[in-house]
Amino acid sequence: MGAKRVWSTTGVVALTGALLLTSAPTASADYVRDQQWVLDAYKMDATWALTQGEGVTVAVVDSGVDGSHPDLTGQVLQGKDFTGGGDAQEDVAGHGTGMASLIAGHGHGAGNNAGMVGLAPKAKILPLRVLQKEDDDFEDDTWAEAVRYAVDNGAKVINLSLSGGTGSRTATSGREAIAYAQAHDVVVVAAAGNDGGFTVNEPAALRGVVSVGAVDDKGNLWDKSNVGDGLTLVAPGVEIVSANTNRSDGYSLDSGTSDATAYVSAAAALVRAKYPDLTAGQVINRLIKSASFLHHKGLKAPDREYGYGVIRPNKALTMDIPKGSKEGPLGQLPSSTESKAGSATDGNEDGSTQAKEQDSSSRLPIALIIGGIAAVLVIGGIIFAVMRSRGNRSNGGPGSGGGTPPHGTGYQQYPNTAPNQGYPAPPGQSPQHQNPYAQQPPHQGQ
């Protein structure tokens, strides 16, 4: 069984500081649309002229997705509940519905000019319910089963706006499910975590997974976004409006890497729709190579706080970027068969290998073996005599500083360093330079 993990405001989802849109007595539809700063920041109208995610299914592994929300009608497939029976379109917590709206919300009203619009409004959502209430525990086995179901039911992108918490490790079932998705050409996107820590949480930290941090409307890192080695991209995740049928007005305002993850999944859906011949790894390659550090001058990709940069959906669709390798710049987890094959060579050889080695050693001439043993004994005797002689000549003799040093003195412990040592200066501490990141980040594959 996988290790249980708590669905909390700091570990899994972005509900910390969740606010109703209560600056007006009743949040009007126009007001909701006006609050979606991401649409203006990305000038999405120009991008939607190229594609809106048609023909791509995004699996949302979460608390379920309420397909009856007016901004999601017709976009949500039947899906499956993995919580012990129920309906994948029942969303008690409201989180999965919010993520789906950021990916494929289409608005409502005349000309769909009101309500929530996601970055890929014509993509389909496959709801996979692995959580119910906000404080539910869940196991890796649960979401791992959902990931496999997503792969087997046509999803081309899997959104995991969840995280195991600081220091947690993904169980074998989870790792194998991610590997299964990668082996079947599916883009897997996961949240880096909302702990404000210096480690990217799993499963986002697993090889080949697009791990996502959060930035605000100025492109500066959100203070609770996890950072560290393995961070892939950052995306808008501060004061994000999303659909929520559990609220009286149908919407909520949240901050977190969950929202940022949904936006990256939507960008992946756009790329998959426009370039259906690209592999999952090549889609990731386009997302990475089109990203920008914006005004954060002097960062080197991949950066511990910004990864390869802020996603730019339009550039991901329009830039002249070579396809690159099929596996993409992040590589892939080994499949279960590869893992077993690897373990066979790591001290657990199979019978045929052991037999060959035993057969080879048994053919060595007996005289050579005996001679080798004798030589070892002679050399050992000489070394013993020399060491004994040196020990007797040392100042004070044995027991007064000569001989073997005490435990630990032969190794220097790693010094304690300040949390931010080696990191770029936090946003706001350096001059702002409006120079988009134009240089291709290194180590991205060819």
Side-chain angles (χ1 to χ4, degrees):
M1 300 294 289
K4 285 189 175 182
R5 302 175 181 188
V6 178
W7 184 23
S8 69
T9 58
T10 58
V12 177
V13 297
L15 296 179
T16 300
L19 302 173
L20 289 176
L21 298 176
T22 54
S23 57
T26 302
S28 69
D30 289 339
Y31 178 82
V32 170
R33 181 65 59 87
D34 291 343
Q35 299 308 302
Q36 296 170 57
W37 62 266
V38 176
L39 303 181
D40 292 330
Y42 282 135
K43 302 188 185 319
M44 287 306 298
D45 286 341
T47 299
W48 291 330
L50 303 172
T51 178
Q52 297 184 38
E54 301 91 338
V56 177
T57 297
V58 180
V60 175
V61 180
D62 212 294
S63 59
V65 176
D66 188 343
S68 68
H69 192 286
D71 297 336
L72 284 168
T73 55
Q75 298 303 101
V76 184
L77 304 175
Q78 181 177 354
K80 185 175 180 179
D81 180 271
F82 293 87
T83 65
D87 185 358
Q89 293 199 24
E90 179 185 9
D91 186 6
V92 176
H95 188 258
T97 301
M99 299 307 101
S101 71
L102 298 178
I103 296 169
H106 53 51
H108 66 271
N112 287 334
N113 289 325
M116 269 300 305
V117 177
L119 297 191
K122 290 189 177 178
K124 294 294 184 180
I125 297 295
L126 179 66
L128 302 175
R129 192 183 192 210
V130 297
L131 301 164
Q132 291 187 18
K133 298 185 299 297
E134 195 173 309
D135 57 352
D136 275 355
D137 290 349
F138 71 105
E139 298 189 4
D140 286 358
D141 292 351
T142 305
W143 65 257
E145 187 180 357
V147 166
R148 288 181 176 273
Y149 181 92
V151 175
D152 294 340
N153 286 271
K156 300 304 291 182
V157 180
I158 296 177
N159 185 84
L160 297 171
S161 287
L162 48 82
S163 158
T166 302
S168 62
R169 299 281 295 177
T170 302
T172 300
S173 59
R175 295 177 67 90
E176 290 184 348
I178 297 293
Y180 182 76
Q182 293 170 347
H184 288 79
D185 194 39
V186 178
V187 178
V188 181
V189 188
N194 300 344
D195 312 304
F198 299 103
T199 303
V200 175
N201 293 343
E202 294 192 4
L206 296 177
R207 184 180 181 186
V209 176
V210 181
S211 56
V212 184
V215 294
D216 62 19
D217 59 350
K218 296 179 177 61
N220 295 328
L221 190 72
W222 182 50
D223 59 359
K224 294 181 181 179
S225 182
N226 285 16
V227 301
D229 294 335
L231 183 66
T232 309
L233 294 164
V234 289
V238 179
E239 296 186 354
I240 303 299
V241 179
S242 61
N244 189 337
T245 48
N246 297 325
R247 306 297 189 184
S248 59
D249 55 14
Y251 302 93
S252 61
L253 185 68
D254 309 296
S255 294
T257 58
S258 289
D259 305 80
T261 299
Y263 278 136
V264 172
S265 291
L270 293 174
V271 175
R272 301 223 81 162
K274 181 152 180 25
Y275 299 100
D277 59 321
L278 295 185
T279 66
Q282 291 166 342
V283 170
I284 295 171
N285 184 54
R286 290 196 73 89
L287 294 175
I288 285 177
K289 290 192 173 178
S290 59
S292 169
F293 285 132
L294 301 180
H295 57 274
H296 300 286
K297 186 178 179 181
L299 302 186
K300 182 179 179 181
D303 180 70
R304 289 176 59 86
E305 292 186 338
Y306 292 88
Y308 289 91
V310 182
I311 62 162
R312 297 191 295 174
N314 186 271
K315 295 297 183 182
L317 298 176
T318 60
M319 283 182 65
D320 184 10
I321 300 173
K323 288 184 177 182
S325 67
K326 291 183 177 180
E327 294 76 19
L330 303 181
Q332 297 180 353
L333 284 173
S335 64
S336 57
T337 55
E338 290 174 344
S339 299
K340 292 176 182 177
S343 64
T345 61
D346 293 336
N348 297 312
E349 295 89 349
D350 58 27
S352 60
T353 302
Q354 292 178 341
K356 289 179 181 178
E357 292 181 354
Q358 292 173 355
D359 181 65
S360 175
S361 62
S362 65
R363 294 179 183 176
L364 291 174
I366 300 298
L368 180 59
I369 296 174
I370 295 174
I373 293 173
V376 170
L377 292 175
V378 171
I379 294 172
I382 294 172
I383 293 174
F384 176 80
V386 171
M387 294 300 292
R388 182 177 182 182
S389 175
R390 289 181 178 176
N392 290 335
R393 290 200 302 268
S394 62
N395 294 333
S400 61
T404 305
H407 267 313
T409 60
Y411 301 91
Q412 183 177 0
Q413 292 184 347
Y414 192 80
N416 293 326
T417 58
N420 282 318
Q421 184 171 343
Y423 290 6
Q429 294 185 8
S430 59
Q432 300 294 305
H433 299 277
Q434 300 300 326
N435 296 325
Y437 181 66
Q439 188 177 3
Q440 296 296 338
H443 313 303
Q444 295 183 0
Q446 302 298 325

